[in-house]
Amino acid sequence: MSKEIDISIRYLENVLSTNNSTLILSSTAAVLEAVSKNCDTTNVDLKRSIISLLRIIDKKCFLNQEVDTNQIKFSLQEVGKLSVKCPKSSQKPKADPKVKSNAEFREIGTVPPNPEEENIDNLLSQLNLKKVPSFSPAFPDIGDDSDDENGVTTKQKEEERAEQHGQKVCEEEVVKLPDGREIRMKKTKTVNVKQTTKHVTISTKSANMPEVSRTFMNARKGFDEDEEEENTNFGGSSNMRDPFERFRSMLQDKDEKIEAIEGESTEPGTPGSSSKSKTIERTSEVSQKVSEKKEKDGRLLAEHEASKLDKSNLFAKQVDTYQGTSLIDRKGEGSYEENTLIRSALPQNSEVATPPKMHVVEYMMMFGDDKKNNENEYLKGTTISSYVRLNNNLTTHEEQFKKKIQFEFSTAGTSSTTIDLDNLSDLLNQTDFNCLRPPAKYLEDTPRIVELPKAIDWQRESTTTPQEKDLLLEQDAAEYVIFREKEGKVLEVRGGPKDALVVYATQSSHSSLLYQEAFLITFRTFISALELVNKLIKRYLYMSLAHDSQSESIARHTFSVIVRIIDEVTQYELDVDLITSVTSFVYRLIHEGNFTYSRILRTRLLDRIKDHFDIHAVLGTNLCKPKKPHDLFDFKSAEIACQLTYIDSQLYHRIESAELLWWSQEQNEKKSKNLVNFTEQFNNLSFWVRTLIITQSSQKERERHMMKFVKIMKHLREMCNFNSYLAILSAIMSTPLARLEWSKNIKDALKEHTAVMDTAQSYKNYRALLQTAKPPCVPYIGIILQDLTFVHAGNPDTIPSDRCNGAKNMINFLKRWNQFAILDSIRKLKKWNYDIKKNDIVVQYFNGFKDRVDEERTWQLSHQIKPSNRKSKT
Amino acid sequence: MREFKVVVLGSGGVGKSALTVQFVSSTFIEKYDPTIEDFYRKEIEVDGQPSVLEILDTAGTEQFSSMRDLYIKNGQGFVVVYSITSQQTFHDIRNMKEQIVRVKGSENVPILLVGNKCDLSHQRQVRSEEGLALAESWSCPFTECSAKNNQNVNVTFAEIVREMNYVQSRSRQSKTCCSLM
């Protein structure tokens, strides 16, 4: 038995006694991984034993049902025994690995990928070889304010660019000979490039003369010692537009070290196993500086300067395993980090002049080239971005962007490209929504007896071609989809029957990725997650039976959509039915020998199930009670604002788009748990603030507290935490407090804030403020809920049948586009996070905001402080 | 032209948003975008006098109890809505008048009590007489309407305009009377 399997099985056996579901599940995942790596996964008995192990473990841990531990142990021993019997085929080569052990099922895992098509280089070319665009900051144009027409004005613009790139590629090949000997070959290539350029443009304008511009270019040969040689290679190319082009061509003849550790050649024809690994490390740094100076008769009129630094780091590794000359497996992993720093020095007395704009951060991405149908790599990537604003005074302004992508792939799976978000605003800015292009074919959603979606045991469900027409099994559903049409051009999806929309979302070659994204965010408004997952599994199983590349590609894309849905499934949806459907699909995948897919899906499901949230971790602490209780003035306003923001962002990040959509339709507290936590925090904070102010016994103390909260609000606004900002504002502006007398000081300090909460013109002021806010940001979620509620109330769910030739039940996707637009804006904000650490002492002081009096009591106290005119009349 | 700010209050699920949508967009359009500035503004002619209503509908944000004060503060007239199919929603608004009066600091607040969803008469849980009785205790007008069938919707908003006109003219009278004292 392989050592890995042995260890994982023994570990699981030990873990069983702990009864800890999470531990058991992750140890089971380890067993599954070990077996799929080291065993012949085509063996029917082995697959059967694994399925029965998973079944019983899932029953215990996913569905919390009573299970006999001995039964698990027995299954585990079975797996152990069989894994010894069926070692990986590499040790006992088969004549043709493609021969199917079971004609009914296709062995996706053993379809040999085309090594020319999918490899790490293709991937890297998508990631790193991005040219850093030239930096052109928008400087405020300071006009010539003097009336003197006779002077000489000079404008000098300097642009500097320095680049430094390095790459280290290490290739290693290990060939195992049948007699046990190994041959190792190692090749290392290193390249370093440095380059600087400087442009200076001087324009002179004197009275009644046309402007004269002169440009100086100084492409300094700033290559240091090492790069001197490279310079000779590229000395001729003065027009260095793409720094990477040089870089790439340079790779071919630079520093190649080939180490043959044992120089014996493989005997041809011997089917030994070999592996090739390749690691790539790349670093790149581009710094750019632009400065502008305007002088008149030697007198300085204006001066601006801005700089930008782009850094990127890439590490990637790929391991290919060969059996003889055929590639059996290819695995890769790596990470890529991008860092951008923009610093602009602004003139002293000027306001920040660069127009505020929203930073669009890319989506959680699945990389890969979509157009190639035979693409087999599965990649996942996440973008974690944080935005650090170091200072924001008028003299310097600094922005920092970070992006980190981690990816892994193996020779099975799906891919899709990143999504173009700019289209969305274009799309919704269109006012002519009336031009519908009716579908070429109509298929009404037949109003059969409405049955609740239920779990399907996919392991037992047979895949047969149905009698009646089933859209889910069509390769292309575009003919059934209603599009918007403008001037003969087919534009975005406007609606269609439910199944056509589902199918269209899995057709990555046709459908726009934007549609797919909108579908994934909004499908819950017309189909439940369970129903959708079942439909997609049906489609996947059907497509994976066929052998043409088109069907294979559809199956992969369908699988990718299933993974996305599981990734974003809410706790509410993770019920017995959904878990049963997904786990039985996992067993089916194992049965078909597709261990890679089954592991991916099972891991994602496990991640979602494990994803428990304990609000106490955010609002509570483990500190002992302090001897002397703290009060508000023990902490700096900025620190309190930070900790409020810490709490808000933790709660805010838990909220799923689905919860907001559900809330706009049915306000079910069970479904939208995280949303309810977040709104409760808002209310609790507001009443806590009211309490702290109104329970003070003297006017002086009340004012001191009030002033403190005004200061805290100011910090919150700077941090773009509109949630706590408005919660405190709502407290301060609440009538029991607002009706009391306040010093002019306080009234003045409040002036700039009260306008924000003006409800006029659909919260015009607040919306404008949010638009200019820089992420990270916590928005006031009330307005999002209100917008969603009105989009829901105002737009019909289905397209009126008179608009589409009498067809009924055509889902109105325009409504979903609108919902997507609202949700997308907050999804974007969720991509950012604050870099704040929890301060237990402050959080302990908050005490979960439990020390508060209710609304009635605040009114009583308010009337005690200042008796009511109204009541005194009676 | 006179401009009024009307706040629509009531529990979640009583169909407030439907009522507002029905009122602000009487013509059939295909796209409702609540994020645009004048989405909630509508011109209405009452007794030959045109005025502009700016509706503040709290639909979707009922959970933010701490914001209710702000909404009320911003409003001049109040449409308090319950659903005739839910006794709970009727119960929820029983103290609404008191809350409004307390925040506005005046007894003379234009309020209108509305029972929505009267198209669902077979599911009725709140009798018209109950609604009427509550309205009488608030001394405000009462109406039942159906946002779904666009029944009585414009009448409802016309009524609140009349109330606002009436209360305004009365308070002007009382002000002059006070200043005399």
Side-chain angles (χ1 to χ4, degrees):
Chain A
M1 193 194 296
S2 140
K3 208 173 171 192
E4 201 182 343
I5 302 178
D6 190 32
I7 292 172
S8 65
I9 288 181
R10 274 195 296 181
Y11 189 72
L12 178 55
E13 266 174 351
N14 287 325
V15 159
L16 279 176
S17 58
T18 64
N19 228 9
N20 177 331
S21 290
T22 319
L23 261 180
I24 294 173
L25 284 167
S26 46
S27 321
T28 312
V31 172
L32 183 60
E33 193 182 329
V35 170
S36 73
K37 252 196 223 162
N38 298 297
C39 293
D40 173 18
T41 52
T42 56
N43 184 289
V44 181
D45 292 328
L46 178 65
K47 286 191 290 193
R48 196 173 292 149
S49 73
I50 287 190
I51 292 170
S52 59
L53 174 68
L54 290 184
R55 264 193 183 274
I56 190 157
I57 297 264
D58 291 351
K59 197 170 161 191
K60 177 182 168 67
C61 301
F62 281 157
L63 305 173
N64 295 320
Q65 285 171 14
E66 220 27 70
V67 157
D68 181 6
T69 319
N70 288 325
Q71 225 180 324
I72 302 182
K73 282 186 180 152
F74 177 74
S75 287
L76 199 51
Q77 278 158 10
E78 274 295 302
V79 172
K81 268 189 243 159
L82 287 161
S83 66
V84 179
K85 277 191 204 158
C86 330
K88 199 168 184 87
S89 50
S90 58
Q91 262 109 60
K92 42 162 203 177
K94 276 186 192 172
D96 182 4
K98 271 191 267 181
V99 166
K100 290 170 185 64
S101 54
N102 183 338
E104 200 197 333
F105 300 110
R106 212 163 52 85
E107 304 286 338
I108 297 178
T110 55
V111 174
N114 181 352
E116 296 301 311
E117 293 292 339
E118 312 89 20
N119 58 42
I120 201 161
D121 297 325
N122 279 347
L123 164 70
L124 295 182
S125 63
Q126 292 174 51
L127 279 180
N128 194 28
L129 292 179
K130 168 191 116 189
K131 193 191 165 201
V132 175
S134 112
F135 178 51
S136 47
F139 288 132
D141 189 38
I142 307 256
D144 187 352
D145 52 353
S146 71
D147 300 327
D148 182 11
E149 289 283 318
N150 300 314
V152 181
T153 321
T154 0
K155 213 163 106 186
Q156 182 173 335
K157 195 178 180 186
E158 283 186 34
E159 284 167 274
E160 268 182 68
R161 185 182 171 114
E163 291 181 28
Q164 197 175 339
H165 308 281
Q167 170 162 298
K168 193 175 160 189
V169 180
C170 183
E171 284 178 52
E172 192 173 11
E173 197 174 340
V174 182
V175 182
K176 275 193 190 127
L177 297 178
D179 60 8
R181 278 181 302 157
E182 278 187 1
I183 300 175
R184 281 171 185 270
M185 300 266 284
K186 203 175 169 186
K187 230 163 57 174
T188 315
K189 289 188 232 175
T190 11
V191 176
N192 285 298
V193 183
K194 256 188 191 173
Q195 191 207 353
T196 52
T197 48
K198 191 173 177 178
H199 290 255
V200 180
T201 313
I202 301 177
S203 334
T204 335
K205 193 176 185 260
S206 42
N208 307 323
M209 290 279 280
E211 193 172 288
V212 184
S213 288
R214 282 169 301 161
T215 305
F216 305 93
M217 200 186 105
N218 179 13
R220 273 197 292 145
K221 292 186 177 70
F223 307 117
D224 59 25
E225 286 288 305
D226 254 8
E227 279 78 40
E228 226 39 88
E229 286 169 62
E230 295 153 22
N231 195 16
T232 54
N233 286 330
F234 300 95
S237 57
S238 59
N239 192 9
M240 296 167 178
R241 284 252 168 88
D242 176 6
F244 288 99
E245 188 135 321
R246 291 180 296 114
F247 183 44
R248 262 177 249 136
S249 51
M250 207 176 298
L251 295 181
Q252 287 150 13
D253 46 22
K254 183 63 199 156
D255 245 14
E256 271 193 24
K257 279 181 220 149
I258 302 177
E259 291 165 39
I261 289 174
E262 203 171 316
E264 278 179 66
S265 64
T266 338
E267 281 168 58
T270 315
S273 71
S274 60
S275 70
K276 270 188 193 169
S277 69
K278 188 172 178 182
T279 41
I280 298 179
E281 275 177 72
R282 270 183 202 166
T283 53
S284 167
E285 217 179 290
V286 178
S287 78
Q288 298 179 82
K289 197 170 131 189
V290 181
S291 59
E292 226 178 54
K293 219 157 82 179
K294 200 170 174 184
E295 284 177 341
K296 182 157 194 173
D297 299 335
R299 182 171 56 93
L300 187 70
L301 288 179
E303 192 174 10
H304 308 292
E305 195 179 292
S307 65
K308 184 169 174 252
L309 178 68
D310 289 272
K311 274 197 221 174
S312 69
N313 269 305
L314 182 140
F315 170 78
K317 189 180 175 181
Q318 174 180 298
V319 182
D320 291 350
T321 314
Y322 288 88
Q323 181 68 47
T325 49
S326 65
L327 179 64
I328 322 176
D329 192 21
R330 165 169 288 167
K331 285 200 174 77
E333 60 177 29
S335 65
Y336 172 68
E337 241 183 296
E338 231 178 66
N339 226 312
T340 304
L341 183 78
I342 300 174
R343 196 177 276 155
S344 37
L346 295 157
Q348 277 300 325
N349 309 314
S350 95
E351 290 287 307
V352 179
T354 26
K357 60 177 182 212
M358 299 283 279
H359 297 290
V360 178
V361 186
E362 286 144 284
Y363 265 87
M364 160 161 190
M365 293 176 286
M366 288 172 154
F367 278 94
D369 192 343
D370 212 30
K371 277 144 208 149
K372 281 181 226 141
N373 275 334
N374 51 358
E375 185 108 9
N376 261 345
E377 62 209 29
Y378 186 86
L379 304 167
K380 62 172 186 181
T382 44
T383 309
I384 304 158
S385 309
S386 63
Y387 182 102
V388 188
R389 191 171 37 181
L390 297 173
N391 54 57
N392 190 11
N393 59 40
L394 285 174
T395 48
T396 53
H397 177 78
E398 194 167 287
E399 286 175 12
Q400 198 176 332
F401 304 90
K402 267 187 201 160
K403 187 165 101 179
K404 190 172 178 174
I405 296 166
Q406 272 180 312
F407 56 88
E408 55 181 71
F409 64 87
S410 83
T411 48
T414 55
S415 60
S416 63
T417 34
T418 53
I419 128 171
D420 181 12
L421 284 163
D422 297 337
N423 290 343
L424 182 62
S425 48
D426 287 353
L427 191 153
L428 290 167
N429 281 336
Q430 299 282 348
T431 43
D432 52 334
F433 279 95
N434 290 331
C435 318
L436 295 190
R437 195 196 66 153
K441 292 183 185 166
Y442 275 105
L443 193 80
E444 277 194 28
D445 253 355
T446 27
R448 295 182 202 119
I449 311 138
V450 184
E451 46 183 319
L452 280 174
K454 52 174 193 277
I456 296 175
D457 186 340
W458 288 105
Q459 199 199 339
R460 304 210 158 97
E461 191 85 1
S462 67
T463 315
T464 46
T465 319
Q467 309 272 305
E468 51 185 310
K469 179 112 182 141
D470 191 341
L471 260 178
L472 290 172
L473 309 182
E474 295 286 307
Q475 288 202 334
D476 186 354
E479 286 180 316
Y480 300 91
V481 176
I482 303 170
F483 292 91
R484 187 167 66 87
E485 193 181 55
K486 194 184 175 190
E487 290 150 11
K489 247 174 73 190
V490 178
L491 298 167
E492 79 285 340
V493 175
R494 181 68 175 75
K498 204 196 272 180
D499 285 357
L501 295 177
V502 171
V503 169
Y504 198 66
T506 65
Q507 277 176 253
S508 75
S509 46
H510 299 289
S511 63
S512 82
L513 285 156
L514 199 60
Y515 166 72
Q516 198 182 41
E517 208 60 34
F519 175 86
L520 285 168
I521 301 294
T522 61
F523 70 81
R524 290 173 179 88
T525 60
F526 55 91
I527 186 170
S528 74
L530 174 63
E531 195 186 347
L532 177 60
V533 165
N534 278 336
K535 278 180 193 287
L536 291 171
I537 293 175
K538 183 177 177 183
R539 181 170 171 78
Y540 169 83
L541 290 175
Y542 183 80
M543 290 299 167
S544 67
L545 276 179
H547 296 278
D548 58 305
S549 66
Q550 176 73 18
S551 303
E552 281 172 21
S553 160
I554 291 172
R556 276 199 303 276
H557 282 118
T558 308
F559 184 74
S560 153
V561 175
I562 297 173
V563 171
R564 268 293 299 272
I565 293 166
I566 298 302
D567 263 347
E568 288 169 19
V569 79
T570 63
Q571 292 298 318
Y572 177 80
E573 287 165 322
L574 269 175
D575 58 3
V576 178
D577 286 338
L578 184 67
I579 292 173
T580 308
S581 274
V582 177
T583 49
S584 67
F585 179 48
V586 170
Y587 312 146
R588 174 76 172 251
L589 287 167
I590 292 175
H591 183 65
E592 294 183 5
N594 194 338
F595 276 67
T596 312
Y597 276 19
S598 61
R599 266 165 47 208
I600 289 171
L601 197 58
R602 202 165 182 282
T603 314
R604 303 298 180 92
L605 182 67
L606 181 58
D607 284 348
R608 288 313 283 171
I609 292 177
K610 274 198 299 200
D611 185 35
H612 276 299
F613 177 65
D614 182 10
I615 196 162
H616 179 79
V618 176
L619 283 170
T621 65
N622 294 323
L623 295 184
C624 308
K625 270 204 167 159
K627 277 183 192 143
K628 176 186 165 276
H630 286 290
D631 78 27
L632 191 63
F633 298 92
D634 289 348
F635 308 106
K636 286 190 172 144
S637 304
E639 185 52 28
I640 291 178
C642 271
Q643 291 306 309
L644 288 173
T645 305
Y646 165 80
I647 292 168
D648 285 352
S649 67
Q650 293 292 315
L651 298 178
Y652 175 66
H653 276 255
R654 297 293 309 178
I655 304 172
E656 314 267 356
S657 300
E659 295 185 44
L660 298 167
L661 271 178
W662 281 326
W663 192 262
S664 71
Q665 299 181 349
E666 49 180 317
Q667 308 208 342
N668 181 336
E669 296 197 6
K670 272 192 199 136
K671 278 187 165 186
S672 310
K673 232 178 180 165
N674 297 310
L675 174 63
V676 171
N677 283 342
F678 189 65
T679 53
E680 267 175 10
Q681 166 61 17
F682 183 98
N683 290 331
N684 291 347
L685 173 61
S686 177
F687 283 103
W688 181 78
V689 171
R690 291 175 209 203
T691 305
L692 263 176
I693 296 171
I694 209 150
T695 52
Q696 301 305 320
S697 48
S698 69
Q699 177 70 11
K700 197 183 150 203
E701 275 305 304
R702 282 192 293 273
E703 296 208 327
R704 194 162 82 104
H705 278 78
M706 185 77 136
M707 211 54 206
K708 179 82 174 173
F709 281 115
V710 174
K711 278 184 196 154
I712 294 169
M713 266 168 58
K714 217 173 159 172
H715 287 288
L716 288 168
R717 193 163 151 175
E718 271 167 23
M719 301 172 80
C720 297
N721 177 354
F722 296 108
N723 183 61
S724 282
Y725 173 71
L726 291 186
I728 298 180
L729 188 60
S730 78
I732 288 175
M733 288 172 74
S734 72
T735 326
L737 289 180
R739 62 183 285 280
L740 303 176
E741 308 293 337
W742 298 104
S743 68
K744 191 175 173 298
N745 234 352
I746 286 174
K747 281 185 190 156
D748 287 347
L750 277 176
K751 258 181 205 154
E752 59 168 315
H753 300 296
T754 46
V756 175
M757 242 14 265
D758 188 358
T759 52
Q761 290 169 296
S762 190
Y763 296 94
K764 193 181 166 193
N765 294 350
Y766 169 73
R767 284 182 205 272
L769 189 64
L770 188 64
Q771 273 296 314
T772 59
K774 294 203 177 102
C777 166
V778 186
Y780 166 56
I781 212 138
I783 293 187
I784 291 154
L785 291 173
Q786 196 177 322
D787 288 348
L788 285 172
T789 303
F790 278 91
V791 165
H792 176 62
N795 296 285
D797 269 321
T798 52
I799 301 175
S801 57
D802 59 323
R803 307 249 315 135
C804 39
N805 296 351
K808 282 178 197 141
N809 299 318
M810 294 289 158
I811 307 281
N812 176 13
F813 207 78
L814 177 60
K815 178 173 183 169
R816 279 77 198 185
W817 281 119
N818 275 312
Q819 289 165 330
F820 176 58
I822 294 165
L823 292 169
D824 184 58
S825 64
I826 77 151
R827 262 166 71 94
K828 261 182 235 162
L829 293 178
K830 270 173 82 172
K831 294 288 157 205
W832 303 82
N833 215 339
Y834 290 91
D835 186 19
I836 299 174
K837 286 204 175 64
K838 184 175 173 183
N839 180 339
D840 278 324
I841 301 172
V842 180
V843 173
Q844 187 189 39
Y845 164 69
F846 291 153
N847 191 22
F849 306 96
K850 280 181 279 198
D851 310 316
R852 53 174 200 268
V853 298
D854 67 5
E855 207 173 350
E856 280 317 303
R857 182 77 190 134
T858 49
W859 274 104
Q860 283 172 12
L861 289 165
S862 174
H863 283 135
Q864 276 170 24
I865 296 163
K866 183 188 170 189
S868 152
N869 295 330
R870 188 162 62 88
K871 291 243 164 100
S872 61
K873 271 183 198 166
T874 50
Chain B
M1 206 184 302
R2 301 181 107 173
E3 214 176 301
F4 293 110
K5 284 183 179 161
V6 175
V7 181
V8 185
L9 294 163
S11 322
V14 299
K16 293 191 297 292
S17 50
L19 193 69
T20 303
V21 163
Q22 193 62 261
F23 174 66
V24 295
S25 54
S26 44
T27 51
F28 181 80
I29 50 164
E30 281 227 358
K31 189 190 165 201
Y32 292 86
D33 185 357
T35 63
I36 50 175
E37 275 175 32
D38 48 8
F39 176 79
Y40 299 98
R41 287 167 71 82
K42 166 99 191 243
E43 221 182 289
I44 182 172
E45 201 180 293
V46 179
D47 306 327
Q49 201 182 7
S51 23
V52 173
L53 291 194
E54 165 123 20
I55 316 270
L56 171 61
D57 190 329
T58 56
T61 64
E62 297 87 355
Q63 208 72 4
F64 287 88
S65 53
S66 49
M67 294 292 274
R68 203 181 300 127
D69 258 25
L70 278 180
Y71 294 138
I72 295 173
K73 237 180 179 170
N74 275 321
Q76 293 164 299
F78 301 87
V79 176
V80 180
V81 189
Y82 66 90
S83 159
I84 65 152
T85 64
S86 157
Q87 189 68 47
Q88 181 61 42
T89 63
F90 185 63
H91 183 81
D92 289 344
I93 50 132
R94 285 199 160 269
N95 300 320
M96 198 61 90
K97 156 106 184 189
E98 203 192 311
Q99 281 196 43
I100 297 169
V101 164
R102 195 160 65 174
V103 172
K104 297 302 277 185
S106 154
E107 289 284 349
N108 295 329
V109 190
I111 297 183
L112 174 68
L113 182 65
V114 178
N116 191 23
K117 300 195 184 176
C118 72
D119 51 295
L120 300 172
S121 56
H122 55 287
Q123 291 173 33
R124 184 188 277 277
Q125 284 186 9
V126 186
R127 284 177 295 120
S128 300
E129 296 79 46
E130 292 176 78
L132 205 59
L134 181 64
E136 256 167 39
S137 75
W138 287 4
S139 50
C140 79
F142 168 69
T143 159
E144 282 189 356
C145 74
S146 161
K148 196 180 161 206
N149 297 344
N150 197 6
Q151 190 186 333
N152 263 350
V153 172
N154 283 329
V155 175
T156 301
F157 285 93
E159 194 57 41
I160 190 67
V161 173
R162 277 194 203 98
E163 271 298 295
M164 287 187 288
N165 278 329
Y166 173 67
V167 170
Q168 247 183 22
S169 61
R170 240 181 53 182
S171 71
R172 221 171 282 137
Q173 274 172 15
S174 66
K175 249 182 206 159
T176 33
C177 142
C178 281
S179 59
L180 285 175
M181 281 161 72

